Amino acid sequence: MKMWRLAIPAIIGFLPAGPSLAADATDWLQRIYSAGERQSYIGTLVYQQGGRTETSKIVHVVDAGGVQERLEVLDGEPREIIRTDDEVRCYTPSTMTVRVEKRVARPGFPERVLGSPKELAEHYRIRKGGTERIAGHECQMIVLEPKDDLRYGHRLCAEIGSGLLLKAQTLGDRQEVIDQFQFADLDIGGRVDHSLLATRVAHGNKPWRVERVEIARGSLAAHGWMLKDLPPGYRLYADLKRVQSGNAEINHVVLSDGLAAVSVFVEPLARRNPPLQLGTSRQGAINIFVRKVGDFAVTAVGEAPAESVRAIAQAVEHRKPSH
Amino acid sequence: MKEIEARKEAVSAMLDDELRARECECCSALIKEQPELRDAWDIYALIGDVLRGTPASAMPCSFADRMTAEPTVLAPRALLVRRRMKFYAWPAAAAAAGIGFVTWIFLSVLPAQNVEVASAKRVAVRAQATPTPPAAGRVAGPEIEDYLLAHQPYSSSPVMQGVAPYIQMVSDPSEGAKQ
């Protein structure tokens, strides 16, 4: 017993001296957002939503060529997504289709929204939770609690060294988990063989149907549209146009509160085939609202409560273009 | 209690061809009569199949019920903690380890499972909470897929680096069917 008491000061001496890096929860958030730009990694990611589970393999390479990554869905319908700084290719083997989205005028990387600490603090209470061990990595939990019911909460677990997210949960207003990403295994850093970035699904002699989309800076206003009475906190973040081969343009704007993002698409209703279904619907954790304005379909999609998505769709108004 | 235990031991021994013929007959009769022993037979047979590498075609009902009653986890360790083995009166650790092992292996021999997932022992996912679906709403069909894809780069969900959010929009064919 005496020996134990003597040992205590020695033990304390060995303990880590307290968080010297990124003590502030908001600093952690910044680290998390930029971690993917700094680190290469390979891992197996498990996505859970509504009782279904989807496992994917991710290869992420950061080098002089920029950021490149490949994701391959391992369960159910095969699918592969390969992404570089200015292009995303989505392969769907079941239909032998590859959708290529190319950014013409680069909005920049990363596109994911992260507002300033001040903006985030307006709508979320951000705090550090405890530490957790996930897939063999020590992680810091960061909790984002919404200040109203117009947005979802989040619980994030970031690897202490790199800031890479090992687990992320979207939370509803009853603290229920709406969806969850978690790495089952993750190897961080080191040189990743570029051959791992090559497609695994698109080989053989059969031709793939290619659908091309170009994304450039757009202007909702120039097309006679405006945003009125957006729900509190949501502001215009991106204004783009999507040009599909042979088709006219689609307006795509992104509304955000600094974290949550809702996209709104405006295009002629007649062009949609199969036709869109009006009203509320969902796809997993994403809520959707479609409404008809004149001959146009206004569609809002995003990871926000259904009511917010609906209100954002309603905020899009058509005004007579001035000639 | 002790009698049941002894009989279950006998069931196990029978499966392993350790019983003599007459004991087998006696045991078989008992198995037919008693549901507990029938279930035990099924479980042992399942374990045997799996260990021999012959994919088991059916899980015994009670086993399947108990599986679905648990949250969806693949980690033997998690099952070790959660399984209540009162039904079989096995020593707790051995029983849980056995069932946990079976569960893990069973799931990995299912044809749909990718070999990578099955072989990577490191893929032991402990879901801290079972995600629940949003309260209401019709499930959108494939007509909306291009919009979902276009939204992904901006998806907050949440903050998951790079391509990870693209997983969200991979629609489950069965989800579209059950409106």
Side-chain angles (χ1 to χ4, degrees), chain A residues 32-33 41 69 99 111-112 154 165 167 177 179 181 240 242 259 261 263 267 272 278 281-283 299 303, chain B residues 128 131-132 138-140 143 146-151 153-159 161-164 168-169:
Chain A
I32 287 167
Y33 265 86
Y41 56 86
E69 58 195 331
R99 189 177 199 89
E111 297 144 309
R112 280 170 292 112
H154 299 282
L165 273 186
K167 182 167 89 172
V177 178
D179 70 4
F181 290 87
L240 307 164
R242 298 170 57 79
L259 181 69
S263 286
E267 74 170 312
R272 296 299 301 184
L278 300 180
S281 63
R282 62 177 177 86
Q283 181 61 261
T299 309
E303 296 85 2
Chain B
Q128 304 264 320
T132 55
R138 169 176 55 85
V139 176
E143 76 278 0
D146 59 329
Y147 285 163
L148 297 181
L149 182 61
H151 171 69
Y154 305 94
S155 171
S156 66
S157 197
V159 187
Q161 41 264 12
V163 284
Q168 278 184 306
M169 49 154 276

Side-chain angles (χ1 to χ4, degrees), chain A residues 171-186:
Chain A
L171 306 171
D173 57 1
R174 285 165 286 125
Q175 294 300 302
E176 77 277 21
V177 178
I178 291 171
D179 70 4
Q180 173 178 290
F181 290 87
Q182 182 169 332
F183 274 97
D185 64 75
L186 183 64

Side-chain angles (χ1 to χ4, degrees), chain A residues 120-320:
Chain A
L120 288 170
E122 271 178 48
H123 310 297
Y124 300 89
R125 269 180 291 268
I126 308 170
R127 59 178 175 85
K128 284 168 72 175
T131 57
E132 205 176 318
R133 192 159 171 272
I134 301 171
H137 297 279
E138 284 300 319
C139 301
Q140 173 66 55
M141 188 189 291
I142 306 292
V143 180
L144 293 115
E145 219 177 277
K147 289 186 175 175
D148 55 33
D149 57 5
L150 298 172
R151 57 211 95 242
Y152 286 141
H154 299 282
R155 202 182 283 144
L156 312 176
C157 296
E159 199 267 325
I160 286 177
S162 62
L164 282 173
L165 273 186
L166 258 102
K167 182 167 89 172
Q169 295 175 326
T170 306
L171 306 171
D173 57 1
R174 285 165 286 125
Q175 294 300 302
E176 77 277 21
V177 178
I178 291 171
D179 70 4
Q180 173 178 290
F181 290 87
Q182 182 169 332
F183 274 97
D185 64 75
L186 183 64
D187 290 323
I188 303 175
R191 281 182 70 86
V192 176
D193 190 347
H194 271 240
S195 67
L196 294 172
L197 290 168
T199 172
R200 294 278 166 104
V201 302
H203 27 243
N205 297 321
K206 291 199 203 127
W208 284 71
R209 193 174 92 229
V210 183
E211 294 173 354
R212 290 187 196 279
V213 181
E214 279 186 356
I215 301 159
R217 290 216 168 79
S219 173
L220 198 65
H223 287 83
W225 298 89
M226 55 189 242
L227 295 162
K228 200 174 169 221
D229 297 329
L230 285 167
Y234 289 93
R235 61 167 175 86
L236 183 66
Y237 173 77
D239 196 342
L240 307 164
K241 68 177 176 189
R242 298 170 57 79
V243 185
Q244 229 157 299
S245 40
N247 288 346
E249 298 170 1
I250 301 172
N251 287 300
H252 174 193
V253 291
V254 181
L255 291 313
S256 174
D257 63 4
L259 181 69
V262 176
S263 286
V264 183
F265 301 93
V266 179
E267 74 170 312
L269 197 56
R271 234 198 287 147
R272 296 299 301 184
N273 195 17
L276 293 169
Q277 301 218 38
L278 300 180
T280 304
S281 63
R282 62 177 177 86
Q283 181 61 261
I286 299 174
N287 284 304
I288 299 156
F289 191 84
V290 186
R291 57 186 276 253
K292 182 173 175 299
V293 181
D295 296 327
F296 290 86
V298 174
T299 309
V301 311
E303 296 85 2
E307 183 47 43
S308 298
V309 173
R310 192 194 63 80
I312 286 168
Q314 304 278 14
V316 177
E317 286 188 6
H318 196 229
R319 60 150 191 258
K320 287 187 170 58

Side-chain angles (χ1 to χ4, degrees), chain B residues 75-114:
Chain B
R77 189 192 261 277
L79 287 164
L80 198 84
V81 171
R82 292 179 210 194
R83 286 260 173 243
R84 283 174 288 119
M85 298 310 296
K86 59 172 186 178
F87 198 78
Y88 288 98
W90 287 347
I99 295 294
F101 177 68
V102 167
T103 307
W104 186 72
I105 297 292
F106 186 95
L107 289 170
S108 61
V109 298
L110 288 175
Q113 288 288 335
N114 185 280

